[in-house]
Structures are given as structure tokens and as C-alpha cells.
Amino acid sequence: MTQQPQWGINLSKYFILPQRVILAIMGFLAILNAYTMRVCLSQAITVLVKKKNITDDDGNDQAICEPDDLDGDGAAASGGEYEWSEELQGLILSSFYIGYIVTHVPGGLLAEKFGGKWTLGLGILSTAVFTMLTPLAIIHGDSDWLIVTRVLMGLGEGTTFPALSVLLAAWVPANERGKLGALVLGGGQVGTIMGNLLSGVFLESYDWSFVFYFFGGLGVIWFAIFIFLCYSDPSSHPFIKPSEREYLIKEIGTIGRNESLPPTPWKAILTNLPMFALVCAQIGHDWGFYIMVTDLPKYMSDVLQFSIKANGLYSSLPYVMMWIVSVGSGFVADWMIRRGIMNTTNTRKVMTGLAAFGPAIFMVGASYAGCDRVLVVVLFTICMGLMGAYYAGMKLSPLDMSPNYAGTLMAITNGIGAITGVVTPYLVGVMTPNASLLEWRTVFWVAFGVLCVTAVIYCIWASGEVQPFNGSAIEPRTVDFETQERKPELKLKSMERSS
């Protein structure tokens, strides 16, 4: 363990929040930025592409809805100048996940060996740079260069979750994992809210290219702040308060980053039954989530015929509810475990079951609501709200199962799950050539089946306990942080009494 410099101890006095909370906030903002850069194209593509405004061959008025006129200038109905088919649009939206998959496992391994700070920071920075280059790619290279740019964005962003898992394992004690973990992972919902809502506002008021410059610029600003404030673990942080440093080392232990960390036990991980259950749950979550994140704006635009501004607003509402539930479920999960109502394993299973079966039902229900815009938005909002319970369920399982190899577990599960990010947007494009309501109903029924089957597998075989392949199990000792902070004061009072 490195000696903390005196200048760092002096500087630590000026920080009100504990460094682990600062790290959690910056992790939250990292995922927020990652998601705004990821999803803004889903809104922008609705104004880039010429729209289809047709019914089915029988003239069924249920196949597509009448457009609203909130924009007043017909922009929402006419679309843009690019004649990209639904299948090509699906390929464009899915291309991000091709790169995203590739860097998951390397990102996790690098973070475990050398710490998560630079692995996370450089990944977000590269994504930000390619986001700002997206308008040039579209203008000068059409769909081909756009696909290449999105793949490169995915390569940068693929390290995000594995690196954050390593950082959380090094910084967050087990008894705070639910709330701080849910806070960090909740950045995905807030990022999706901001990405959809602000994109709708910007696309109505400015040229479409402004969306990419704005969100890419925020990513660069985040990188500069993160590199100054955050470090890979408490023992290497120069200006953490000594009392917090001691508390975290006692509570979590020191995880070696170089020679001291044993080689990754690949065989034990890949043949572990709870790991298989976790991967299945991740596939189910990502299948439903990526359909909503990537294609909900297209559904709102092509089927419900929302205006540009309304599309941004109503596409973001489900994620407001999802964020509220994700944070609330983290507190509930911690409370259930702390009070002994349920053990960690059963708590994760209950949260994951709620987050799968509920959305599956309401997603299909929304497709039967027809063109009732209010009812559809309400059903999608409930659907995504319930999905927020995933973040106190299977999303925390890698940290529960193996603190030493949390990055690798997150890389495997997120990487395999991200394959659905490649499959689902393209599959949606193939299944909805006419962008009709009836075609979309089939899409939601397929998602229903995937969500339910994968959740059943997780509920049978998942585990919230440290697995044998972790090596030496970490047994957190209960340490009261407030007592640690007051130790000097208590010692002084004791000396006064003895004298």
C-alpha cells in the first residue's frame, strides 16, 4: 500500500463528499454521457431519412396512425433527404454494437490489471471524438461512413461497464453496493432521457449536426474532470481522507492490480452454472432494452406519427420512470439484505423477475393499444419503469459473485448481451419493412418470449454468493464510517477522563 502524500491529506480537507461517492457520481455521469452519445442517432435518424407514410395492402387503418401536427411545418411527416430502407436503418443502428462487443473482454482485463481509471476515461473520450465526427461521416460518406463511425464509437464505449465494475469492486463496500451501484448504473436511464429529450429540442431548433457536437463535447468535458478527481482504488488516491481510506481498506481489502492478481480462471468462470444463468438474464434484459432504446423513437415517429418535439419528449418519459425505479430498488434491495428479509441470492432473483415479467406484459399490451397515444405512452412508461429493477438484480451479480474478477464477469455478460444490440435493431428493420403497427406487434411478442424464458433460467440457477473461482473470498467486516471519522475526538475525550 502506497504512502499518502502530505499535500493530499491537506487537500482532502476541502472535500465534503467521501471519495467513493464522488467516484459513484462520476461513474453515473460516465454512463450518462455514454448513453447520450449512443442514442442521439435514434432521434436524429427520424429527420435524416425520408419517411414512409403508408397503410397495409388491405387499407387497414390500424396499420399506421394519423400524424400529429405539433411541429406545424410538416417536418415530422416529410422526414429528411436520405433514402435509407428500414433494413439499412436497422444495420446503421446496430453497427455501434459490433464495436461495442469487441472491446468488452479486453477492457475488463485491462481494468483488472491496471485499474479502471484510464480504461474508462480513454474509452469515453474516444467515443466523444467519434460522436463529433459523425456529421462529417454522414455528409461526405453517406450510410457507409456512418456505419464505420458507429463501429468505432462502439469500440471506445465497450470498456465502460467492465471498467466501472472494477472501480465499484475496489471502492464500494458490500453494504453500500445496492444504492451506489444503482446510482451509477442509473446513468443509463438518465442518459437515455437526456439523449431523447434534448435531441428532440435541438432537432427542432437547430441543424441535426448540432446534436452530435453537443453530446460529444460533454463527453470531452467529463473526461477532463474525471481524470483529475478519480483514481483506480483507495490506496492509490492521493487526496482521499485518511479515515475513509482506512475504512475502505478494512471493509473491502486491497485488490492487487499487477503481479499479485492471479491469472483469470477462464475454465471455472465459463463452466459455472450461476454464470450461465447471469448471461441468460443479461441477454433477456438487453433484448428488451435495446429494442426500446434503439427503436422506440422510430416507433413513435413511424407508427404513432409523433412530431419531432413530441417524439423526443414521449420517448424519454419511460426512462424517467426507469431511473426512479432503478435507484429506489437499490435502496429496497439493500434494506431487504440488511434486515435479513432475504439473502443476497433471493433478493437478486426477485428484482430480476420483476424486471423481466412486468415489462414483457406491458410491452405487448402497448402494441394492442392501437393509436391511443396517451395509453401507449403510459404502457411503455410502466414497462420501462419495471425494467429498472434489473439494476438491483442481475446487474449487481458480477460484484456479488467475484469482487476480484468483476470486470471480467461484467465483460463476458455485457459482451454476450450486447450481441442482441447487433441483432435486434437489424431484426426489427427486417420485420417491419412497412413500419406498420401490425408488424411491430410481432416484434414485441418475440421480446416477450425472450424476456420470460431468460428470467426463468436466472431465477432457477442464479447466485448472489462469492463463487469459488474468486480465490480467497472477501469477508467484509462491519465498520461504522461515522465512528471512524470520530475516532480522534473519542480518543481525546478518553484521555481527558483518565487525567
Side-chain angles (χ1 to χ4, degrees):
M1 186 172 66
T2 57
Q3 184 68 32
Q4 189 172 6
Q6 185 59 44
W7 66 265
I9 296 174
N10 295 335
L11 183 60
S12 70
K13 299 173 183 176
Y14 295 98
F15 286 87
I16 299 173
L17 294 176
Q19 289 297 329
R20 64 186 184 282
V21 176
I22 292 174
L23 177 89
I25 292 171
M26 293 305 296
F28 166 84
L29 293 174
I31 298 181
L32 185 151
N33 276 293
Y35 270 77
T36 57
M37 293 185 286
R38 184 190 305 188
V39 307
C40 61
L41 179 63
S42 296
Q43 285 288 342
I45 203 169
T46 64
V47 300
L48 285 168
V49 178
K50 288 185 178 179
K51 274 193 176 181
K52 290 187 177 181
N53 191 6
I54 60 174
T55 60
D56 61 6
D57 294 337
D58 299 327
N60 190 339
D61 60 4
Q62 289 290 314
I64 201 163
C65 305
E66 291 297 321
D68 71 28
D69 296 316
L70 295 184
D71 289 330
D73 58 1
S78 61
E81 61 183 90
Y82 296 94
E83 297 186 7
W84 297 338
S85 67
E86 293 295 319
E87 185 175 341
L88 178 57
Q89 290 179 57
L91 180 59
I92 290 169
L93 293 172
S94 68
S95 59
F96 171 91
Y97 298 98
I98 297 173
Y100 187 70
I101 294 167
V102 171
T103 51
H104 257 69
V105 172
L109 293 173
L110 287 171
E112 285 169 355
K113 285 292 182 183
F114 306 110
K117 174 179 178 176
W118 289 103
T119 310
L120 174 64
L122 292 175
I124 296 292
L125 178 64
S126 62
T127 305
V129 170
F130 286 116
T131 299
M132 291 189 288
L133 291 175
T134 299
L136 290 175
I138 295 173
I139 293 168
H140 298 292
D142 206 82
S143 60
D144 293 338
W145 279 104
L146 174 57
I147 289 172
V148 171
T149 305
R150 293 290 289 182
V151 171
L152 294 172
M153 284 178 61
L155 287 172
E157 200 169 307
T159 64
T160 302
F161 282 100
L164 273 171
S165 286
V166 173
L167 286 170
L168 290 175
W171 277 93
V172 181
N175 60 355
E176 298 178 15
R177 197 168 288 160
K179 51 182 175 286
L180 289 183
L183 168 64
V184 172
L185 297 173
Q189 292 88 62
V190 180
T192 306
I193 295 164
M194 286 185 58
N196 282 306
L197 187 59
L198 294 181
S199 291
V201 174
F202 293 153
L203 289 170
E204 186 196 28
S205 304
Y206 306 103
D207 184 71
W208 58 265
S209 61
F210 180 78
V211 170
F212 300 99
Y213 297 138
F214 177 81
F215 290 123
L218 287 181
V220 174
I221 294 171
W222 172 89
F223 171 79
I225 298 171
F226 174 76
I227 293 304
F228 170 72
L229 286 179
C230 297
Y231 287 79
S232 293
D233 52 61
S235 62
S236 66
H237 200 303
F239 46 89
I240 185 175
K241 289 182 179 179
S243 55
E244 185 186 8
R245 188 186 200 218
E246 181 183 350
Y247 162 70
L248 291 175
I249 291 172
K250 285 182 178 179
E251 189 79 358
I252 302 172
T254 302
I255 299 175
R257 294 292 167 200
N258 299 305
E259 297 83 2
S260 60
L261 187 64
T264 304
W266 289 107
K267 182 179 179 181
I269 291 174
L270 296 177
T271 57
N272 183 266
L273 191 57
M275 183 66 186
F276 170 76
L278 175 59
V279 170
C280 288
Q282 184 74 43
I283 290 171
H285 165 269
D286 286 356
W287 190 284
F289 186 70
Y290 287 142
I291 282 179
M292 299 297 286
V293 167
T294 307
D295 291 302
L296 183 59
K298 280 175 55 60
Y299 184 84
M300 297 284 195
S301 175
D302 295 343
V303 176
L304 296 179
Q305 294 284 285
F306 275 121
S307 63
I308 297 171
K309 184 189 292 184
N311 191 355
L313 173 62
Y314 295 129
S315 294
S316 66
L317 283 179
Y319 303 99
V320 175
M321 183 61 68
M322 188 178 186
W323 178 66
I324 293 171
V325 173
S326 68
V327 175
S329 64
F331 281 93
V332 172
D334 282 351
W335 177 78
M336 290 169 67
I337 294 170
R338 191 168 55 247
R339 290 296 184 92
I341 297 172
M342 284 188 183
N343 60 23
T344 303
T345 297
N346 289 332
T347 301
R348 302 290 183 242
K349 287 180 178 180
V350 167
M351 292 297 178
T352 301
L354 178 65
F357 298 121
I361 294 169
F362 285 99
M363 188 184 295
V364 171
S367 70
Y368 284 92
C371 294
D372 186 336
R373 290 186 173 93
V374 174
L375 181 58
V376 170
V377 171
V378 168
L379 290 173
F380 276 137
T381 300
I382 297 172
C383 164
M384 294 307 292
L386 292 173
M387 199 174 283
Y390 266 120
Y391 292 86
M394 51 76 59
K395 284 288 187 180
L396 295 178
S397 290
L399 279 72
D400 297 326
M401 292 167 63
S402 179
N404 286 336
Y405 299 103
T408 297
L409 266 60
M410 180 65 84
I412 293 171
T413 55
N414 230 41
I416 294 175
I419 295 173
T420 64
V422 179
V423 174
T424 52
Y426 182 74
L427 186 63
V428 168
V430 171
M431 294 175 69
T432 58
N434 301 310
S436 73
L437 174 59
L438 302 179
E439 292 168 345
W440 273 94
R441 186 174 294 160
T442 305
V443 171
F444 292 134
W445 269 114
V446 172
F448 176 95
V450 174
L451 280 164
C452 290
V453 170
T454 55
V456 168
I457 293 173
Y458 182 87
C459 290
I460 294 173
W461 288 300
S463 174
E465 306 304 320
V466 175
Q467 298 299 295
F469 59 73
N470 183 65
S472 58
I474 294 176
E475 298 290 344
R477 289 185 287 175
T478 303
V479 179
D480 189 341
F481 181 65
E482 293 182 3
T483 302
Q484 293 290 322
E485 289 279 10
R486 293 174 56 210
K487 267 186 176 181
E489 178 185 340
L490 294 173
K491 284 182 181 179
L492 181 59
K493 288 182 178 179
S494 176
M495 290 173 63
E496 288 175 352
R497 288 196 192 102
S498 62
S499 60

